[in-house]
Amino acid sequence: MKKYVIYTRVSTQEQGKSGLGLAAQERDIDIYLNQFSDQPFEVIGRFQDILSGADDERPELEAALKLVRKTGAELLISKLDRLSRKVSFIAALMEDKKVTLRVASMPYGTPFQLHIYAALAEQEREFISARTKAALQSAKGRGVKLGGLRDKTNARNKASKAKADKFASTVLPLVQKLRDSGETLQAIADALNAADKPSPRGGKWTSTTVKRVLARA
């Protein structure tokens, strides 16, 4: 029977508390175990770190690897970047003869393919970082005040909210009267559509649109 040690990672304490990202990792791992494992299996350990992908000091990963080396089990992760974002770290692990790595999202990936994938992903991250810095430097060279862009966005958001509030006030008396008489949100939407009253965005009314108008009261 094949043995697996499962390792998952999320990058912040908040993700760890809320479960963000973990459900997707566990889903991919379950798919691999149930559809791609080539023989009956047993999961002998589960480990999880809540640390940045740039941090190689991970106590739970070290514990998982210790169990893998001791038992001959395979280390199973959902995606390669859950292990590390550094190709050097991944390459060193692949050279460890006592560690067999399985990536759920790449069920047929060979060690060579995984190494190439890690290298390409690292290059892409470096390029994105360089491109972002170049764009900011170019904008600065043209005299663009980067902080001013945020101010303009905030101003647009405030203007949009004021416009929505003003529109809501014009239909609110009718909507509130219908609601107070016991009409459902959908019934109110149907009445407004029958009266050819456009919604805030100029389209048809829905129960959700009516609910939003009431919320602005």
Side-chain angles (χ1 to χ4, degrees), residues 1-116:
M1 178 176 289
K2 181 170 288 189
K3 297 179 180 179
Y4 290 103
V5 171
I6 293 174
Y7 175 74
T8 55
R9 178 184 64 80
V10 286
S11 59
T12 65
Q13 188 68 33
E14 288 71 23
Q15 284 181 313
K17 289 180 179 179
S18 66
L20 294 175
L22 292 177
Q25 292 180 60
E26 292 169 355
R27 177 203 62 207
D28 290 350
I29 287 170
D30 285 343
I31 290 174
Y32 177 87
L33 290 174
N34 294 316
Q35 298 184 29
F36 294 96
S37 183
D38 56 3
Q39 56 185 280
F41 64 87
E42 176 187 6
V43 176
I44 64 172
R46 290 178 179 270
F47 299 85
Q48 179 188 122
D49 276 315
I50 305 175
L51 294 166
S52 167
D55 188 355
D56 292 338
E57 298 297 326
R58 299 185 218 155
E60 290 301 300
L61 176 57
E62 288 303 316
L65 290 171
K66 182 178 180 180
L67 183 58
V68 164
R69 295 183 179 107
K70 180 180 178 181
T71 63
E74 297 185 357
L75 181 66
L76 178 59
I77 58 177
S78 63
K79 295 176 63 179
L80 205 54
D81 65 3
R82 296 301 86 193
L83 189 62
S84 177
R85 293 196 179 110
K86 295 180 180 179
V87 66
S88 58
F89 181 89
I90 294 172
L93 192 60
M94 288 181 177
E95 291 176 359
D96 190 329
K97 297 186 181 302
K98 291 186 177 181
V99 176
T100 299
L101 177 65
R102 295 293 176 188
V103 181
S105 60
M106 301 176 67
Y108 302 119
T110 65
F112 175 75
Q113 289 171 331
L114 295 177
H115 195 154
I116 294 299

